[in-house]
Amino acid sequence: MSTMTHPYPHLLAPLDLGFTTLKNRVLMGSMHTGLEDHEHLDRMAVYFAERARGQVGLIVTGGFAPNDAAAPMAGAGTLTTAHDAERHRVVTRAVHEEGGKIALQILHTGRYAMHRHGVAPSAIRAPISPHPPLALDEAGIEQQIADFVRCACIARDAGYDGVEIMGSEGYFINQFLVAATNQRTDDWGGSYANRMRLPVEIVRRTRAAVGRDFIIVYRLSMIDLVPGGSTWEEVVLLAKAIEAAGASIINTGIGWHEARIPTIATSVPRGAFAWVTKKMKGEVTIPLVTSNRINTPEVAEALLAEGAADMVSLARPMLADADFVRKAAEGRAEQINVCIGCNQACLDHIFVGKVASCLVNPRACHETELNYLPTANKRRFAVVGAGPAGLSAATVLAERGHEVHLFDAADEIGGQLNMAKVVPGKEEFHGMVGYFESRVAQSGVTLHLGQRVDAATLIAGGYDEVIVATGVTPRTPDIPGLDHAKVLSYIDVLRHRKPVGPRVAVIGAGGIGFDVAEFLVHEGHSTTLDAPAWRAEWGVGDPSVSRGGVEGVVPKISPPARQVYLVQRSASKVGARLGKTTGWIHRAALKMKQVTAIEGANYERIGDEGLLLSHGESREAAEWLDVDNIIVCTGQESLRDLLEPLKAAGVVTHLIGGADVAAELDAKRAIDQACRLAAVL
Ligand code: FAD
Ligand code: NAP
Ligand code: SF4
């Protein structure tokens, strides 16, 4: 790899740590995947081995707790006994066999624990936790430090190349650092020198116990994004002390979990927080890792080239594509499956207790059960519809050795993704379509665009099997006046770009209603593509001036392009069903743009006056909403008229994606279903 010329000289340069060398500048950032739970270590081994084979420089595992109180919830992974060292050898061996290096993250959640036994410097409940923590006494603090050290020693015995001490994101260590969560009056509280004693002691005693030739990464919260957070002076002081205490690498943490500023969602600009790490450059001599929304080799290379950091942390992009580094090194960057920052299959799964996966790569964390093996029975397939379902099925089938013809009525592949990508904040969907373009070409699928196929053509085509992936059609609600000229569908707006007036009612407040509202309140560029404007909009300041990077910062929000009303029939809060980790961001973004939410509405009529709305079961007090346009976003229905005629003609036919089930359809389900079917045909 090193002898090749490639476009990413900084990214692919080895990093010498003195006692060991990392093969490049990519650290796989820690992610809780659910595999940390005890029974899944075999799966974890295969998952990490694939990433090691993909040439990532250093893997960091999901968090393991140093004792039960530190664990996020009962049953979560801990590393506390010699037996644990035995059990983890399957993981370290698998990674080492692939030539990789792996560090175990030690995570103490403190007051973020979801159980009743959480411990913290002071008994102050976190806004995102159900229970107040127990305040530790001094002996208790000594015990926590000893447990960190024990955990690191067990990790070393298990064959790990190092540990990452999780000191950011508002967890236990952060809770000691900040006065708002540390109100102690002993030697562990009060002055900043006292508050920072805990992390320094943890690193110092860990280094003393593990010896010199073991990697200690310290993840340092460089900008807390909460009121009362650290000042920049404090952050620098801590970094220097952590270096002196024996850390090998400092990784960047951005924002506490309770912060009300998005830090990793798709609408966060790429590399939006690298400037914070860059600010630290020169303050310490050990390597610095920068993090958050770095999802392509171009972005990573540019950050390293401009001197923002010595390494980049890629977490979710390693779920999306295990071969990220290998593809970059081999000049195949366009073949990288790009993480779109959606959180739909990774973080959102964790919040409901499911093993993580990835929207664009359903194999992630499921490597032992979902595999695309060469077929012994080559057949000829027609796949109808080049949305995410059809694209996934066609490419997996072709990669397995089948002959595949993929049809779409449109002149471009992508289906509804082409509407998603024009929504401000969803620009990452361009990358998803681009990836599929390259994969279609690479896999040898024969693509037939601009062809709306009917059953007769398919039957005449003599295919062995047909996959119907024709997607959905918008639902037509039963509202008097729906044929009025003011009425448009979301397709008219997003695809056909029909003109829209200054006052608009969007009816239906599902995912598409929210996206259409977002599209309509913006004019000109998207702040997702303009990091300084994005920071100004969300009120992110310079931590040298504003404590935590937020105190005293007044958000600068540009006025909405038009007045938008977002209307729904149900009485629940608008947006209540959006994604667990991203719904609040969509709601906050529309609030910034003064979108008016109307819940519990009845659509009485549409006319020249606008939209006549009444409320409640009694349908009283109907009033006209004076709007120029009404945009219909009231859900979708399956489009599958090919199915019956094909079946009647005896053609083996499969239904996937929206064509199969329209309710609660998303790209995650479409891709997952398609890949799982194509893996076994
Ligand atoms: P589609 O994407 O609908 O594709 C079907 C394809 O079949 C179309 O290209 C169509 O032209 C073609 N076709 C139909 N009939 C024929 C025929 N007879 N012959 C040839 N071709 C035919 N999902 C998410 O997971 N996350 C999001 O953030 C997200 N945002 C969205 C934002 C918007 C604005 C929209 C509109 C959708 C969004 N979705 C999102 C939903 C997601 O795009 C869909 O769930 C997904 O595209 C469904 O995939 P599919 O392949 O089943 O169907
Ligand atoms: P949806 O989420 O099902 O929302 C449709 C909305 O229309 C509902 O909120 C419903 O609310 C209303 N509605 C349903 N039937 C109606 C009727 N007969 N008359 C009037 N109103 C009616 O569907 P969608 O917004 O079209 O989105 C389609 C899929 O794309 C979704 O399942 C979603 O997962 C996916 N998507 C996801 C994202 C994302 O960010 N993850 C973004 C966009 C789309 P009321 O009944 O309360 O009015
Ligand atoms: Fe990235 Fe979405 Fe996959 Fe998570 S589910 S890794 S955010 S593409």
Side-chain angles (χ1 to χ4, degrees):
M1 180 160 101
S2 54
T3 54
M4 291 179 57
T5 50
H6 45 63
Y8 311 109
H10 296 86
L11 187 68
L12 299 170
L15 180 65
D16 185 0
L17 295 176
F19 58 91
T20 188
T21 299
L22 305 181
K23 60 175 74 155
N24 54 55
R25 303 308 177 98
V26 181
L27 174 140
M28 174 174 173
S30 176
M31 283 174 286
H32 189 82
T33 61
L35 297 178
E36 296 77 9
D37 305 344
H38 295 193
E39 62 270 34
H40 293 319
L41 289 175
D42 286 343
R43 279 173 69 179
M44 199 168 115
V46 179
Y47 155 65
F48 282 137
E50 277 200 16
R51 274 78 195 160
R53 204 175 314 138
Q55 302 293 313
V56 61
L58 177 63
I59 293 169
V60 183
T61 67
F64 284 86
N67 57 42
D68 287 342
M73 63 208 80
T78 57
L79 199 79
T80 56
T81 64
H83 177 60
D84 290 333
E86 272 310 312
R87 293 189 310 107
H88 274 254
R89 277 204 192 108
V90 61
V91 176
T92 54
R93 206 180 301 126
V95 169
H96 292 153
E97 274 168 12
E98 297 294 349
K101 287 194 164 54
I102 183 164
L104 177 124
Q105 190 191 64
I106 310 178
L107 170 68
H108 192 314
T109 58
R111 71 176 196 153
Y112 281 169
M114 288 294 156
H115 52 77
R116 291 180 185 279
H117 312 291
V119 294
S122 303
I124 305 166
R125 189 176 67 84
I128 55 170
S129 301
H131 312 293
L134 307 167
L136 289 161
D137 59 16
E138 290 205 50
I141 293 175
E142 288 291 343
Q143 186 60 52
Q144 303 305 312
I145 298 172
D147 290 349
F148 268 92
V149 175
R150 177 183 65 187
C151 188
C153 292
I154 296 169
R156 182 171 186 142
D157 289 346
Y160 285 100
D161 302 282
V163 289
E164 176 173 83
I165 294 170
M166 180 50 164
S168 64
E169 278 26 43
Y171 288 117
F172 184 66
I173 289 176
N174 253 171
Q175 294 157 24
F176 269 80
L177 288 169
V178 161
T181 45
N182 179 351
Q183 300 186 348
R184 304 181 70 90
T185 52
D186 59 11
D187 291 350
W188 302 96
S191 67
Y192 187 68
N194 279 358
R195 299 202 305 270
M196 72 177 220
R197 253 181 86 201
L198 177 89
V200 175
E201 283 305 303
I202 291 173
V203 174
R204 193 178 62 77
R205 294 188 211 175
T206 300
R207 176 55 78 202
V210 296
R212 293 189 49 209
D213 56 345
F214 190 65
I215 301 169
I216 299 179
V217 182
Y218 181 83
R219 181 114 172 253
L220 195 149
S221 186
M222 293 206 196
I223 183 166
D224 292 334
L225 300 179
V226 289
S230 293
T231 63
W232 185 248
E233 217 182 342
E234 291 168 347
V235 171
V236 171
L237 210 61
L238 177 62
K240 288 178 191 285
I242 291 295
E243 173 172 30
S248 329
I249 293 174
I250 292 180
N251 191 1
T252 303
I254 302 291
W256 290 28
H257 284 322
E258 63 206 69
R260 299 318 281 167
I261 290 167
T263 54
I264 61 166
T266 187
S267 56
V268 175
R270 289 175 171 184
F273 290 97
W275 61 276
V276 186
T277 317
K278 191 175 184 182
K279 230 172 131 67
M280 182 63 77
K281 283 286 285 179
E283 302 283 3
V284 291
T285 59
I286 52 175
L288 292 175
V289 188
T290 193
S291 173
N292 288 49
R293 288 283 286 121
I294 300 168
N295 64 342
T296 68
E298 284 70 25
V299 175
E301 176 67 20
L303 293 174
L304 294 172
E306 70 161 84
D310 305 286
M311 285 187 87
V312 289
S313 168
L314 309 181
R316 297 172 299 167
M318 284 289 147
L319 294 179
D321 198 330
D323 286 326
F324 184 103
V325 180
R326 183 190 290 281
K327 287 177 181 174
E330 292 174 358
R332 299 188 285 130
E334 75 290 350
Q335 291 173 25
I336 292 174
N337 201 354
V338 181
C339 164
I340 59 172
C342 65
N343 287 353
Q344 286 174 242
C346 49
L347 221 45
D348 284 348
H349 275 204
I350 293 306
F351 274 90
V352 294
K354 280 166 72 176
V355 170
S357 178
C358 172
L359 180 141
V360 300
N361 174 24
R363 286 194 67 248
C365 303
H366 294 74
E367 290 80 4
T368 53
E369 50 133 330
L370 179 58
N371 277 296
Y372 311 139
L373 305 174
T375 181
N377 176 19
K378 180 176 174 177
R379 277 159 291 156
R380 195 161 167 268
F381 283 85
V383 179
V384 189
L391 286 164
S392 301
T395 49
V396 170
L397 285 171
E399 284 158 8
R400 293 186 51 229
H402 291 295
E403 179 183 335
V404 183
H405 293 265
L406 174 62
F407 298 89
D408 203 291
D411 293 330
E412 56 183 0
I413 65 162
Q416 293 180 65
L417 302 178
N418 293 310
M419 285 186 274
K421 75 187 185 189
V422 304
V423 175
K426 288 197 147 182
E427 290 81 3
E428 290 294 351
F429 282 82
H430 282 282
M432 195 167 156
V433 178
Y435 164 73
F436 272 121
E437 270 164 10
S438 116
R439 191 162 163 200
V440 164
Q442 188 72 21
S443 62
V445 169
T446 307
L447 187 59
H448 306 267
L449 289 178
Q451 286 194 37
R452 178 171 295 281
V453 287
D454 54 20
T457 314
L458 290 166
I459 294 164
Y463 299 100
D464 295 317
E465 298 184 33
V466 175
I467 297 183
V468 175
T470 44
V472 293
T473 179
R475 173 185 289 131
T476 308
D478 184 16
I479 305 173
L482 200 69
D483 54 355
H484 196 280
K486 285 178 184 257
V487 178
L488 298 172
S489 75
Y490 63 89
I491 299 177
D492 292 328
V493 175
L494 298 176
R495 197 193 292 277
H496 305 307
R497 303 296 179 90
K498 294 219 175 138
V500 176
R503 285 156 309 164
V504 190
V506 173
I507 61 172
I512 292 180
F514 264 77
D515 278 352
V516 167
E518 190 76 48
F519 179 83
L520 291 173
V521 293
H522 280 87
E523 201 110 73
H525 72 283
S526 158
T527 55
T528 297
L529 303 179
D530 179 351
W534 181 88
R535 285 202 293 274
E537 188 175 73
W538 284 94
V540 179
D542 183 342
S544 301
V545 182
S546 319
R547 191 173 263 285
V550 290
E551 262 185 29
V553 183
V554 180
K556 286 196 202 70
I557 302 162
S558 58
R562 49 176 66 76
Q563 169 67 54
V564 174
Y565 300 90
L566 184 55
V567 196
Q568 70 175 26
R569 301 177 304 180
S570 32
S572 57
K573 197 169 72 168
V574 156
R577 286 185 299 128
L578 296 176
K580 176 86 185 160
T581 61
T582 49
W584 68 272
I585 302 169
H586 294 300
R587 289 190 293 271
L590 291 191
K591 206 167 156 193
M592 282 181 193
K593 296 288 188 181
Q594 298 152 41
V595 170
T596 308
I598 302 178
E599 290 117 3
N602 306 308
Y603 309 125
E604 298 291 349
R605 193 156 22 108
I606 293 165
D608 292 342
E609 301 92 326
L611 171 64
L612 184 64
L613 291 179
S614 70
H615 297 274
E617 275 180 35
S618 57
R619 307 182 85 99
E620 277 166 16
E623 262 186 86
W624 285 100
L625 199 59
D626 177 16
V627 288
D628 307 297
N629 293 105
I630 294 100
I631 324 281
V632 181
C633 305
T634 54
Q636 306 172 321
E637 281 158 9
S638 294
L639 189 63
R640 56 159 92 119
D641 36 2
L642 294 174
L643 181 69
E644 288 314 319
L646 288 173
K647 276 192 164 168
V651 179
V652 180
T653 309
H654 311 270
L655 262 187
I656 54 172
D660 180 23
V661 180
E664 310 210 338
L665 168 71
D666 60 12
K668 178 181 80 166
R669 200 185 76 206
I671 292 173
D672 185 78
Q673 185 187 23
C675 289
R676 284 175 191 278
L677 174 71
V680 296
L681 288 179

